[in-house]
Amino acid sequence: MPAVIVDCAIYRDGRRTEGPEGLSDALTLARASENTFLWIGLHEPHEAEFDRVSGEFGLHPLAVEDALKAHQRPKLEVYDDSLFVVLKPVVYDPESDAVGTGEVMVFVGDCFVVTVRHGDASPLRTVRQRLEADPNILRHGPTTVLYAVSDAVVDHYIEVAAELQVDLEDLEAAVFAPAGDTRHTAARIYGFKRQVLEFRRATGPLAAPMARLAGGSVPFVHGHSQPFFRDVHDHLTRANEQVEGLDRLLSDVLSAHLAQTGVRQNDDMRKISAWAAMAAVPTLVAGIYGMNFEHMPELRREWGYPAAIMLMVLAVYALYRLFKRRGWL
């Protein structure tokens, strides 16, 4: 299982220590020693590979199934021997303006933590390094790991929301620009709205689990950790408000773009109608004088032809001035 296990360590009083290589012996040592717990990190394990871990730690089959299949909503489940939390980290690619999500499953037991990562959007490596650099925090046990992972995921939500806000401002500027190519603007808005929806699927469902952790009385979570989870919940609330604000602004931008498109189409139709009217007058006069009748006014007069041309010019000029004054041209 070396390709599946990203890291595995025993922590005693917040410090990483050497221990048995076997999972069973390591778990036995963690349970036998005071202020000691085992933290094992897995990356996209298959069923056969995860069976050994789930068997050693006594993980619930339903939670194991969720951890293997992934594509889960953020949630918190309490089982007899462990706590199961699903988080969805978010990553933003500025090159493609796309939001991507991963999944982090955290199993918390009496003296162990099992983290399962799916996808590339994961803060686990930096979280472990940061915690190992501060033993005073890590000595509080598995609850610290759950808090640190949740805090890292939620804090990154705020960073991604800020980046999306910058992109939305650029999109607004493009929509309300006085001139420019707007043929693909609606597609850009819909694409942006899909990215925000993907972001919302990660942040929205997490509110209830964080509120539950912040409220206390959750098994396998230290009671003194409530203020820390309340802080995470506050940050998550802020992130959710930012996501909702982005969604509302996108709807307003789309409505404004459609309204502008309708106004431009009306302007185009007025211009087309005005030019068509100006073209219709000389066509009418020329059509009348082009009829093959012998007795017609001014047909045999020398000034008849110039008079007809002058009538066409004056009529077109009068219509042009009229449409120009009304803003049609």
Side-chain angles (χ1 to χ4, degrees), residues 32-43:
S33 303
E34 189 176 358
N35 296 328
T36 304
F37 72 95
L38 174 65
W39 182 1
I40 177 172
L42 307 174
H43 178 238

Side-chain angles (χ1 to χ4, degrees), residues 116-282:
V116 181
R117 174 169 63 92
H118 290 268
D120 297 327
S122 172
L124 293 181
R125 183 178 297 277
T126 57
V127 168
R128 189 185 285 263
Q129 293 174 350
R130 188 170 68 250
L131 289 177
E132 289 181 351
D134 194 347
N136 290 329
I137 297 178
L138 194 56
R139 65 187 297 272
H140 293 288
T143 302
T144 303
V145 177
L146 177 60
Y147 158 72
V149 173
S150 303
D151 185 59
V153 170
V154 172
D155 283 348
H156 195 58
Y157 287 164
I158 298 176
E159 296 175 7
V160 172
E163 293 176 339
L164 289 176
Q165 182 66 42
V166 174
D167 287 347
L168 179 58
E169 291 173 359
D170 294 339
L171 183 59
E172 283 181 306
V175 169
F176 293 104
D181 186 5
T182 60
R183 289 176 297 177
H184 306 293
T185 302
R188 288 181 59 193
I189 296 174
Y190 275 113
F192 201 115
K193 200 170 183 64
R194 181 174 292 276
Q195 302 304 319
V196 173
L197 177 61
E198 185 71 18
F199 191 12
R200 197 169 189 171
R201 288 173 178 169
T203 62
L206 188 58
M210 284 298 109
R212 190 175 174 186
L213 289 170
S217 301
V218 178
F220 308 105
V221 175
H222 201 283
H224 297 296
S225 64
Q226 286 182 248
F228 299 96
F229 282 110
R230 278 200 297 267
D231 181 67
V232 176
H233 184 260
D234 290 341
H235 289 179
L236 179 62
T237 301
R238 177 184 169 189
N240 278 323
E241 290 175 350
Q242 288 178 309
V243 173
E244 291 176 2
L246 288 171
D247 190 53
R248 287 196 300 269
L249 282 174
L250 275 172
S251 298
D252 294 341
V253 168
L254 179 59
S255 298
H257 170 66
L258 295 177
Q260 285 185 329
T261 301
V263 170
R264 292 192 186 100
Q265 289 176 345
N266 289 335
D267 289 340
D268 293 340
M269 289 302 299
R270 284 201 299 263
K271 291 178 181 179
I272 293 172
S273 300
W275 287 110
M278 288 188 291
V281 171

Side-chain angles (χ1 to χ4, degrees), residues 299-310:
L299 186 62
R300 298 186 180 277
R301 298 178 184 270
E302 294 183 357
W303 49 266
Y305 178 75
I309 297 297
M310 184 59 65

Side-chain angles (χ1 to χ4, degrees), residues 281-282 306-321:
V281 171
I309 297 297
M310 184 59 65
L311 176 62
M312 297 180 193
V313 172
L314 291 176
V316 171
Y317 179 72
L319 289 174
Y320 177 80
R321 291 295 303 272

